[in-house]
Amino acid sequence: MVPFAGWSLPLHYGQGHLQSHLHTRRHCSLFDVSHMLQTLVYGRDRIRFMESLVVGDIAELKPGQGTLTLLTNEKGGITDDLIVTNTSEDHLYVVSNAACADKDLAILRDRAAQLQATGSDVHLEVSDNALLALQGSPSMARVLQAGLLDDLAKLSFMNSISTTVFGVPGCRVTRCGYTGEDGVEISVPAARAVELAEQLLGVPDVWLAGLAARDSLRLEAGLCLYGNDIDETVTPAEAGLMWTLGKRRRMAMDFPGAAVIMAQVKEKPRRRPGAMALTGAGRAPFTSLYPHIPGTVTSGCPSPCLGKNIAMGYVEAAHSRAGTELTVEVRKKQHPAVITKMPFVPTQYYMAK
């Protein structure tokens, strides 16, 4: 168990990190991610409220559809990355990172108060639901379908439904996750979370997994970790996350930091995200890039699936092309590496036919 954002969380379970990681790729694993902040946004002006804070096109989301978006500041920096879902009910469902929960909630509440003062109809509710992530191809769909009346084959990546799961009513099942695999996150009433977890773990294919596997799985899938790969000093343009900006939002430039971000797009950022694979010996995490190519390593670990060291970071734009050779420092020793394409391991996100 390790401390994380005010919580005590499992780093790994009895089977260890390596086996847990590989089991998720080959079968499926259950992650307790109840430390994430879940917020419900109500009111007829809820979409206008949300779009005043994030870069995404929330208005275009169909009922039940969600999107990854970015909470930005006036300097264009990324305050947090969020998933916002336009539910089929009467609210938006927002999931935020635990490490950013306090500042995110303060920003949301402050903005809601500002709009309420001008007569807007918006109000927030913090959910006390637990959040369970069942991740892994191909077992996840088979395991979960046994406890659903809904047809899981009709639920595409980044879409959600409110349903009963293994006899537990009032659950929200969202087809998403942080592993690169087909998976779901289940928002479940806290009083019945253990019951649901035990139901899922009753299937031999399902193992518990902790933070260590979650981190190495997301890195293989090329997914950013807030506080490592993105933060308030990095803009969406620098982070390679301009795909999160809807076309309408780019034209309107009505989100925090829009002038800074769009100017960077026009001028081209001086630094870009780089995915790196170690080509020499050594399996310890990267610590830094060697100075002949200025840059920063933000995340790194041995890849259980690839059997070599991988990392994400930022390098000068001129050196960011795939195939560029560079040198990294591992435990004070220099090793050759190469810029490669992300994701390191192909993703398995499910799109309904």
Side-chain angles (χ1 to χ4, degrees):
M1 303 292 287
V2 295
F4 181 82
W7 298 74
S8 182
L9 298 180
L11 189 63
H12 59 80
Y13 293 86
Q15 66 271 17
H17 163 234
L18 177 62
Q19 290 304 315
S20 180
H21 178 113
L22 294 174
H23 185 85
T24 307
R25 291 273 186 247
R26 297 167 181 168
H27 302 283
C28 68
S29 298
L30 183 66
F31 300 80
D32 182 357
V33 291
S34 302
H35 53 292
M36 305 285 279
L37 174 66
Q38 300 175 72
T39 308
L40 312 180
V41 185
Y42 292 89
R44 65 176 179 272
D45 296 311
R46 60 188 181 273
I47 290 177
R48 182 165 67 90
F49 160 77
M50 206 71 227
E51 288 194 348
S52 72
L53 297 171
V54 303
V55 302
D57 192 338
I58 309 304
E60 77 170 359
L61 296 176
K62 298 175 182 177
Q65 186 180 20
T67 185
L68 176 72
T69 190
L70 305 173
L71 192 67
T72 50
N73 60 31
E74 293 300 332
K75 295 181 179 180
I78 301 171
T79 303
D80 197 9
D81 56 318
L82 320 168
I83 291 181
V84 178
T85 299
N86 180 24
T87 72
S88 298
E89 293 75 33
D90 60 348
H91 63 275
L92 301 175
Y93 171 58
V94 183
V95 180
S96 314
N97 286 304
C100 301
D102 290 343
K103 69 174 181 179
D104 286 6
L105 197 53
I107 291 169
L108 292 170
R109 285 174 170 166
D110 183 60
R111 183 57 177 154
Q114 291 174 12
L115 290 179
Q116 288 164 357
T118 62
S120 295
D121 178 26
V122 60
H123 64 277
L124 310 177
E125 179 183 315
V126 176
S127 172
D128 61 359
N129 277 11
L131 193 62
L132 303 176
L134 186 66
Q135 301 283 305
S137 310
S139 298
M140 182 285 295
R142 175 179 56 80
V143 170
L144 188 61
Q145 186 62 75
L148 289 179
L149 292 177
D150 305 86
D151 184 0
L152 198 57
K154 295 180 180 179
L155 189 68
S156 283
F157 179 62
M158 294 306 293
N159 282 261
S160 82
I161 52 172
S162 181
T163 187
T164 296
V165 184
F166 284 99
V168 180
C171 295
R172 176 161 297 282
V173 176
T174 306
R175 201 153 199 166
C176 67
Y178 198 45
T179 63
E181 296 296 320
D182 183 20
V184 294
E185 291 183 353
I186 308 170
S187 180
V188 52
R192 303 192 68 177
V194 172
E195 173 189 341
L196 178 56
E198 288 177 342
Q199 288 268 17
L200 294 168
L201 292 167
V203 181
D205 264 8
V206 183
W207 288 7
L208 279 167
L211 281 181
R214 188 170 167 83
D215 190 49
S216 55
L217 287 161
R218 69 91 190 170
L219 184 53
E220 285 186 344
L223 301 173
C224 294
L225 174 63
Y226 192 88
N228 280 44
D229 310 302
I230 51 176
D231 58 31
E232 294 190 16
T233 69
V234 178
T235 69
E238 292 172 324
L241 293 173
M242 287 302 294
W243 59 270
T244 63
L245 275 72
K247 182 178 179 180
R248 176 177 62 84
R249 304 304 308 279
R250 295 188 192 211
M251 296 291 291
M253 293 183 63
D254 57 353
F255 51 88
V260 175
I261 294 167
M262 297 313 296
Q264 282 189 345
V265 172
K266 186 176 181 179
E267 297 165 5
K268 305 296 182 184
R270 295 180 181 178
R271 60 175 179 169
R272 292 182 181 175
M276 293 156 257
L278 196 68
T279 56
R283 284 175 55 83
F286 293 175
T287 54
S288 65
L289 297 178
Y290 195 59
H292 79 280
I293 294 182
T296 305
V297 172
T298 54
S299 292
C301 75
S303 164
C305 290
L306 302 178
K308 58 185 177 183
N309 235 332
I310 58 174
M312 291 168 59
Y314 292 92
V315 296
E316 288 187 340
H319 303 291
S320 63
R321 289 180 179 272
T324 301
E325 296 180 350
L326 64 160
T327 304
V328 298
E329 185 176 288
V330 181
R331 292 177 179 167
K332 298 184 179 180
K333 294 184 179 180
Q334 297 164 23
H335 295 275
V338 64
I339 297 291
T340 187
K341 293 182 179 180
M342 286 194 288
F344 295 99
V345 173
T347 55
Q348 304 292 329
Y349 304 131
Y350 175 81
M351 302 305 297
K353 297 179 181 178

